[in-house]
Amino acid sequence: MIKNIFITGPPGCGKTTLIKEILKELKIPTKGFFTEEIRRDGERIGFKILTLSKKEGIFAEKGLKSSYKVSKYGVLLKNLEEIGIKEIEEGLKGNFLIVVDEIGKMELFSNKFRDAILKALDSENKVLGTIMLQENPFCDKIKQRKDTRVFYLTRENKEKVKKEILCLFQNLQQKR
């Protein structure tokens, strides 16, 4: 049975926006986090983690000194682990939809993150998230799971994908 749903696609195609729209329509208990851009004067300067329980912290920033880098961004794994992972762990304590935006290059630096994702995927909880488009051994294993469905999003198919995901969740709710 499909219980883990991921959205993939090129940057800027609307993956995060789609998840937020789906959550508004589902109206079910959720825990998890979003990775949102930080902009200054119209320029992206970094990313923050924002949980569904309103905790937030800097995740990556241009010029940040860190052992972990993606392009020009230094990555703060501490905030991912203390804010994002804690929220996933809280969600696993109850019957929550776990939201993970996203499983990408920056997040994959953290072994604790990988472990938390696998726990969520293996749990009774449903998972809704975004996952990197590029090939990656960890992500490829997730995409190939029998209990997982991955939707490829473009600006043109957004409404179709949204309807399909909402339909999947409605079917899951009825099977409980």
Side-chain angles (χ1 to χ4, degrees):
M1 177 176 73
I2 303 292
K3 68 163 209 71
N4 304 313
I5 298 170
F6 286 97
I7 302 166
T8 193
C13 70
K15 297 179 291 288
T16 300
T17 302
L18 180 57
I19 287 185
K20 289 178 178 179
E21 289 176 14
I22 289 167
L23 292 181
K24 279 183 189 163
E25 291 197 32
L26 285 177
K27 296 181 176 79
I28 58 176
T30 57
K31 290 278 187 182
F33 70 90
F34 289 98
T35 309
E36 297 190 344
E37 290 184 354
I38 302 169
R39 293 189 161 271
R40 189 178 299 134
D41 301 323
E43 179 193 359
R44 184 172 68 197
I45 59 161
F47 298 90
K48 68 179 175 180
I49 292 176
L50 178 62
T51 69
L52 291 162
S53 53
K54 304 293 183 232
K55 293 180 186 88
E56 68 176 82
I58 302 291
F59 179 39
E61 210 166 43
K62 273 186 185 174
L64 184 80
K65 299 262 186 276
S66 172
S67 309
Y68 305 98
K69 283 200 167 320
V70 172
S71 181
K72 54 193 166 254
Y73 301 99
V75 181
L76 274 173
L77 288 189
K78 179 176 167 264
N79 283 348
L80 172 67
E81 293 173 353
E82 292 178 5
I83 299 169
I85 294 172
K86 276 205 171 111
E87 180 87 357
I88 292 170
E89 290 168 345
E90 283 299 308
L92 291 172
K93 292 177 184 173
N95 185 22
F96 292 94
L97 169 62
I98 307 292
V99 176
V100 181
D101 177 46
E102 77 183 295
I103 303 175
K105 285 180 188 173
M106 292 181 187
E107 294 82 2
L108 292 176
F109 284 128
S110 169
N111 287 326
K112 287 181 183 175
F113 176 78
R114 290 171 185 247
D115 292 344
I117 293 302
L118 293 175
K119 270 188 204 149
L121 295 173
D122 291 338
S123 75
E124 296 291 313
N125 300 65
K126 296 168 201 71
V127 176
L128 174 62
T130 62
I131 192 164
M132 65 191 285
L133 179 59
Q134 299 90 341
E135 287 186 14
N136 169 283
F138 183 80
C139 292
D140 293 346
K141 281 184 185 157
I142 291 171
K143 291 173 185 176
Q144 293 161 4
R145 289 175 60 112
K146 291 193 183 335
D147 60 357
T148 300
R149 173 117 184 247
V150 181
F151 290 87
Y152 180 83
L153 186 67
T154 64
R155 291 182 188 271
E156 294 75 30
N157 73 356
K158 182 180 169 213
E159 286 308 312
K160 179 178 180 280
V161 169
K162 181 178 173 180
K163 276 184 193 162
E164 285 185 47
I165 292 173
L166 285 168
C167 189
L168 266 172
F169 276 113
Q170 286 159 353
N171 289 340
L172 284 171
Q173 290 299 98
Q174 292 167 358
K175 289 180 182 170
R176 289 178 68 212

